């Protein structure tokens, strides 16, 4: 459930950017405003990054994406 939550937030933050075009700065642009607004602490940031890495790793392993951004 938690991964789905973070992945949904990431998808909403990236808008129409295709998964294959996502770069690390997209992740930063998603997370940094949450941190600056004191909405997310260190653990939440860690969990969000972990969820994003997990989904992109999964997609790259299955050749759905050319690489993990």
């Amino acid at each position: 459930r938690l991964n789905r939550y973070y992945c949904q937030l990431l998808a909403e933050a990236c808008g129409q950017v295709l998964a294959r075009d996502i770069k690390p700065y997209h992740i930063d642009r998603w997370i940094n405003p949450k941190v600056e607004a004191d909405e997310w602490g260190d653990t939440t940031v860690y969990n969000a990054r972990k969820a994003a890495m997990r989904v992109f790793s999964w997609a790259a392993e299955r050749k759905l994406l050319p690489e993990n951004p």
Side-chain angles (χ1 to χ4, degrees), residues 57-67:
S57 292
W58 177 88
E61 287 171 6
R62 285 156 182 77
K63 307 294 188 223
L64 300 171
L65 293 175
E67 63 183 15

Side-chain angles (χ1 to χ4, degrees), residues 13 25-40 45 49:
Y25 70 85
H26 289 101
I27 306 298
D28 293 337
R29 287 194 320 200
W30 164 48
I31 291 175
N32 290 346
K34 302 284 190 185
V35 172
E36 291 167 4
D38 286 330
E39 293 177 28
W40 286 5
V45 169
R49 287 188 186 281

Side-chain angles (χ1 to χ4, degrees), residues 4-68:
R4 183 182 299 181
Y5 169 74
Y6 289 121
C7 289
Q8 181 64 41
L9 291 178
L10 176 59
E12 291 170 7
C14 288
Q16 297 297 317
V17 179
L18 298 176
R20 69 173 178 251
D21 296 330
I22 296 212
K23 303 294 181 207
Y25 70 85
H26 289 101
I27 306 298
D28 293 337
R29 287 194 320 200
W30 164 48
I31 291 175
N32 290 346
K34 302 284 190 185
V35 172
E36 291 167 4
D38 286 330
E39 293 177 28
W40 286 5
D42 292 341
T43 301
T44 304
V45 169
Y46 172 81
N47 289 334
R49 287 188 186 281
K50 187 171 146 184
M53 287 296 294
R54 188 175 299 140
V55 74
F56 285 111
S57 292
W58 177 88
E61 287 171 6
R62 285 156 182 77
K63 307 294 188 223
L64 300 171
L65 293 175
E67 63 183 15
N68 184 341

